[in-house]
Amino acid sequence: MALNPDRLLPAEADSRAIAQRLFASVEKLPIISPHGHTEPSWYATDAAFPDPATLFVKPDHYICRMLYSQGIPLEQLGIARLDGAAVETDSRTIWRLFAKHWPLFRGTPSRLWFEHSLESVFGITERLSENNADRLYDLISEKLATPEMRPRALYDRFNIEVISTTDSANDPLTHHDAILSSGWHGRVVPAYRPDAVVDASRPDFHSELEKFIALTNNPMTYQGYLQAHRNRRAYFKARGATSTDHGHPTAQTANLSAGEAEALFERIIKQPVKAEDAELFRAQMLTEMARMSIEDGLVMQIHPGSYRNHNPQVFSAFGFDKGADIPNQTGYVKELKPLLDAHGNDPRLTLILFTLDETAYSRELAPLAGHYPALKLGPAWWFHDSPEGIRRYRELTTESAGFYNTVGFNDDTRAYLSIPARHDMARRVDCAFLARLVAEHRLDEEEAYEVAHDLSYRLAKQAYKL
């Protein structure tokens, strides 16, 4: 199973040689991780990870969704049910089940990330199987008990320069405060994610909204609500936040008059909320968030296009983020126009767009980012942060947007040990793409070295103000 040093580099010899040189120049660069979902408690408490299944299987929705697709109940993977009903609690049993079904992951990025972690972190160069499951479980468990495998030690080992978590608007950021007061040198910053108090279609919207208003001691009026966001954004910024994040179903924006927005707010604070009002309120709040970003300098990210919780049976039993989210066709040209009409020409705004709809890359997103000063393209995301997905992204966006209207790479993961594997993959694929341009005499090799460095490090640091 030992990792091939030329994995993901071109098969053709001349291009591979160029890619090898480019990759050697960026392989050891520090990791900028400007958007992700690791737990701030890991860095605050620096506690040991408990066992291989808890580390690799249970938190990884890529793994859980694949196993579920083959008829394995989530209960058998130890995923907690909302009703408290019994689920598998023996981590070794969960690991054995995972190992038995490891062939399901052939050809997937999950296999790349997992096997990179096994070799680079644990020194294991044999492929997981039903036959060696117990032995590898014991090897990993033994190493997890050592100080070198604590979250802070891994932060240094992975050469992470800064990592951002993603935190609800109502989060007290207790763990971030603990990190800041600990004297540890690592830089872990929050990102402001207000979806729970913006998306009126969520079942928890009204309860979260009440907490939000009470937390900031503002009146339940539209202006009071907007001030509550300003207060919380400032609270996050004081703890190192440089960005906000918005995971809306669509990229729809609106720019209502003050009276229209106030009337809409009065409608959505009452139950039940009409679907069209929920969509309009989300749309209006994206424009309001852009205005606030111009005021306070926080970078704004939009992650639209996911039909979340597509499987109602899984959602009702297990809740959010359990692998049942599906990409949706998403529009940007008409949908973003109200926001762009208002603020798209303002260089004080940095608006980073992501998509799960690859058909929008060359038709909409690259031309938009190639024109509006406020817009940048986020990297291939979620279902597409894979070797082929990253290649398609570069091929479809570079001609219209170039490299410098993009923001490099971010790993967007809950799986801590996969972070260096994901950045390694992205750097290899980008170097392979650049090598092809050099081999085709479309780019000088000296230029390619600079672009490779920018894509691997500088663009993310610059775009996210890190």
Side-chain angles (χ1 to χ4, degrees):
M1 186 204 81
L3 298 171
N4 189 299
D6 290 334
R7 61 192 180 277
L8 304 178
L9 300 186
E12 192 272 321
D14 289 344
S15 293
R16 183 169 65 249
I18 298 168
Q20 287 170 334
R21 294 193 292 271
L22 294 174
F23 179 67
S25 74
V26 300
E27 181 180 9
K28 303 299 184 182
L29 287 174
I31 287 175
I32 303 293
S33 182
H35 173 74
H37 300 276
T38 58
E39 294 292 338
S41 61
W42 296 345
Y43 314 100
T45 65
D46 201 32
F49 292 106
D51 59 76
T54 301
L55 182 62
F56 281 112
V57 182
K58 291 192 282 187
D60 193 329
H61 57 235
Y62 290 92
I63 287 174
C64 291
R65 74 190 309 273
M66 177 65 81
L67 296 175
Y68 184 79
S69 76
Q70 292 290 309
I72 299 171
L74 293 179
E75 289 89 343
Q76 290 187 25
L77 301 174
I79 308 302
R81 290 180 57 93
L82 296 178
D83 60 8
V87 302
E88 181 59 64
T89 58
D90 184 74
S91 291
R92 188 180 292 271
T93 298
I94 296 168
W95 181 260
R96 287 171 178 164
L97 184 64
F98 172 51
K100 179 181 178 180
H101 292 89
W102 183 237
L104 296 175
F105 295 91
R106 289 170 177 159
T108 69
S110 293
R111 172 162 151 170
L112 282 173
W113 301 329
F114 177 75
E115 294 188 346
H116 184 284
S117 299
L118 281 190
E119 181 171 326
S120 64
V121 179
F122 297 100
I124 295 171
T125 57
E126 57 181 303
R127 181 154 291 129
L128 179 65
S129 70
E130 195 171 7
N131 294 329
N132 65 15
D134 280 342
R135 181 162 50 81
L136 296 192
Y137 184 96
D138 291 335
L139 283 172
I140 295 170
S141 295
E142 182 180 350
K143 292 201 174 185
L144 287 177
T146 65
E148 293 77 16
M149 286 299 301
R150 298 292 179 92
R152 293 185 181 185
L154 289 173
Y155 178 100
D156 290 334
R157 183 173 174 181
F158 295 162
N159 198 22
I160 296 173
E161 183 174 312
V162 59
I163 189 167
S164 176
T165 62
T166 303
D167 311 273
S168 165
N170 285 334
D171 194 310
L173 302 184
T174 305
H175 294 303
H176 285 277
D177 285 339
I179 294 166
L180 289 170
S181 64
S182 70
W184 177 52
H185 65 270
R187 188 178 176 197
V188 182
V189 301
Y192 185 65
R193 179 78 172 246
D195 295 1
V197 295
V198 167
D199 187 353
S201 70
R202 289 171 56 121
D204 60 348
F205 170 73
H206 289 94
S207 62
E208 289 295 317
L209 178 61
E210 289 177 3
K211 293 177 190 175
F212 183 63
I213 292 297
L215 182 65
T216 57
N217 197 30
N218 280 285
M220 186 67 85
T221 64
Y222 186 56
Q223 291 305 317
Y225 171 76
L226 294 181
Q227 186 58 45
H229 279 290
R230 293 187 184 96
N231 293 349
R232 293 301 292 165
R233 290 167 66 107
Y235 185 87
F236 274 60
K237 191 173 179 180
R239 285 150 182 82
T242 67
S243 68
T244 71
D245 184 41
H246 310 273
H248 291 200
T250 73
Q252 188 65 55
T253 63
N255 193 16
L256 303 177
S257 68
E260 291 171 325
E262 289 170 2
L264 174 61
F265 183 76
E266 290 301 317
R267 294 199 300 273
I268 64 101
I269 63 175
K270 300 171 184 175
Q271 299 189 56
V273 179
K274 295 180 179 179
E276 57 268 29
D277 280 344
E279 174 66 18
L280 183 58
F281 188 69
R282 288 191 299 262
Q284 176 66 16
M285 285 311 300
L286 285 180
T287 305
E288 295 288 4
M289 290 290 118
R291 275 194 269 271
M292 291 182 196
S293 283
I294 291 171
E295 294 170 2
D296 63 23
L298 291 179
V299 174
M300 183 176 175
Q301 303 171 89
I302 305 178
H303 282 83
S306 177
Y307 191 126
R308 297 182 185 268
N309 312 303
H310 191 273
N311 187 331
Q313 183 174 329
V314 167
F315 180 60
S316 63
F318 299 96
F320 292 98
D321 302 323
K322 296 302 182 291
D325 302 332
I326 309 296
N328 245 341
Q329 185 175 352
T330 310
Y332 294 88
V333 173
K334 295 178 181 178
E335 288 79 357
L336 289 172
K337 196 169 191 313
L339 187 157
L340 295 176
D341 285 350
H343 305 298
N345 298 294
D346 194 327
R348 294 174 297 171
L349 174 64
T350 298
L351 175 58
I352 300 174
L353 296 176
F354 293 77
T355 190
L356 289 177
D357 180 4
E358 291 186 308
T359 68
Y361 280 152
S362 60
R363 185 186 66 247
E364 299 187 20
L365 286 174
L368 283 168
H371 173 74
Y372 283 97
L375 290 187
K376 302 291 183 187
L377 294 187
W381 163 54
W382 202 342
F383 289 87
H384 310 307
D385 62 344
S386 60
E388 299 304 330
I390 295 171
R391 287 189 189 105
R392 289 192 296 268
Y393 172 83
R394 291 290 173 214
E395 289 168 352
L396 292 169
T397 64
T398 302
E399 289 183 341
S400 295
F403 294 113
Y404 294 98
N405 283 310
T406 70
V407 299
F409 179 72
N410 66 56
D411 46 79
D412 191 23
T413 186
R414 293 172 173 81
Y416 191 32
L417 266 61
S418 78
I419 288 176
R422 290 166 187 255
H423 284 264
D424 177 85
M425 176 188 71
R427 292 174 185 185
R428 288 173 181 274
V429 174
D430 280 341
C431 287
F433 180 77
L434 292 170
R436 192 188 85 192
L437 297 186
V438 172
E440 294 174 354
H441 307 290
R442 299 166 61 191
L443 196 67
D444 293 339
E445 188 165 337
E446 292 75 15
E447 294 177 293
Y449 280 107
E450 184 176 346
V451 175
H453 180 278
D454 292 341
L455 296 178
S456 300
Y457 178 78
R458 187 182 69 81
L459 287 179
K461 185 171 183 174
Q462 176 180 292
Y464 283 89
K465 303 179 181 179
L466 294 167

